[in-house]
């Protein structure tokens, strides 16, 4: 948040400089969205040189090495009722992949649920279902496997019985 304080004296207002602050990070529940913008990823824990990267005014989470990972805030929903949708891209130099897993608050007891290999230089959506996870973790972990990847958005959602719609084509509409 940004705040300014003003004093009202004889009809004139004198404002203080702007003061920035944020509220404490607490547990979140699905649906939960993260775009990794400058003010939006503060509740994620970044480990081992994990960083945000800006390109053409857009911020991404940059995965460059094995061992780098980000940990979500605590998720209050049962983890096995969730799916994680990620929009990500790889880069042409080297093999590239990243994992999605579940862990505890400090990143230990990590269970990798799936490994994703995104395409070169093209953002694509991937979905990881956590319904087969076995463990006590309450945090989503996303980490670098090998090569270079960037993550644009992360959605943590309840698993539904409805299948997502993909590749819609429309032909010859009539009255």
């Amino acid at each position: 948040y940004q705040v300014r304080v003003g004093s009202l004296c004889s009809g004139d207002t004198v404002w203080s400089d702007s003061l920035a602050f944020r509220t404490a990070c607490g547990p979140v529940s699905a649906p939960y969205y993260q775009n990794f913008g400058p003010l939006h990823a503060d509740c994620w824990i970044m480990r081992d040189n994990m960083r945000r990267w800006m390109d053409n005014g857009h911020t991404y989470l940059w995965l460059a090495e094995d061992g780098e990972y980000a940990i979500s805030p605590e998720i209050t929903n049962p983890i096995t009722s969730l799916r994680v949708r990620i929009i990500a891209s790889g880069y042409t130099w080297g093999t590239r992949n990243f994992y999605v897993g579940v862990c505890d608050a400090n990143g230990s007891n990590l269970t990798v649920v799936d490994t994703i290999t995104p395409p070169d230089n093209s953002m694509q959506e991937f979905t990881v279902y956590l319904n087969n996870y076995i463990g006590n973790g309450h945090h989503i972990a996303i980490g670098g496997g090998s090569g270079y990847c960037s993550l644009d958005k992360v959605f943590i959602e309840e698993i539904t019985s409805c299948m997502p719609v993909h590749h819609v084509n429309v032909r010859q509409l009539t009255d």
Side-chain angles (χ1 to χ4, degrees):
Y1 297 99
Q2 295 279 334
V3 297
R4 292 186 336 156
V5 177
S7 62
L8 184 57
C9 301
S10 303
D12 292 329
T13 303
V14 179
W15 292 100
S16 70
D17 291 336
S18 181
L19 172 68
F21 73 96
R22 67 182 186 120
T23 57
C25 297
V28 298
S29 59
Y32 174 76
Y33 166 73
Q34 178 58 249
N35 73 355
F36 298 108
L39 299 176
H40 300 285
D42 290 340
C43 292
W44 283 64
I45 298 168
M46 306 293 179
R47 297 288 176 123
D48 296 332
N49 296 320
M50 185 73 150
R51 59 202 165 279
R52 288 177 279 182
W53 169 63
M54 186 170 254
D55 184 30
N56 294 323
H58 193 83
T59 305
Y60 303 95
L61 189 63
W62 179 250
L63 301 167
E65 306 207 7
D66 186 17
E68 294 180 348
Y69 58 101
I71 302 171
S72 76
E74 180 181 353
I75 310 294
T76 59
N77 307 68
I79 290 293
T80 56
S81 71
L82 302 175
R83 68 181 180 190
V84 180
R85 287 189 304 125
I86 299 173
I87 298 175
S89 173
Y91 289 90
T92 55
W93 53 91
T95 304
R96 73 239 158 256
N97 61 44
F98 64 91
Y99 66 80
V100 177
V102 180
C103 64
D104 58 23
N106 63 9
S108 60
N109 299 313
L110 170 68
T111 299
V112 173
V113 175
D114 200 0
T115 300
I116 295 170
T117 303
D120 289 343
N121 302 316
S122 175
M123 288 291 172
Q124 183 174 328
E125 183 175 305
F126 301 91
T127 303
V128 175
Y129 290 86
L130 305 177
N131 55 313
N132 291 322
Y133 167 72
I134 297 172
N136 297 316
H138 294 281
H139 299 263
I140 306 300
I142 302 171
S146 65
Y148 298 90
C149 300
S150 63
L151 308 183
D152 185 18
K153 295 174 182 65
V154 174
F155 304 87
I156 300 172
E157 307 165 319
E158 291 278 344
I159 296 172
T160 67
S161 59
C162 296
M163 295 301 293
V165 177
H166 292 287
H167 310 294
V168 176
N169 291 314
V170 178
R171 295 183 209 178
Q172 298 179 342
L173 296 176
T174 60
D175 293 331

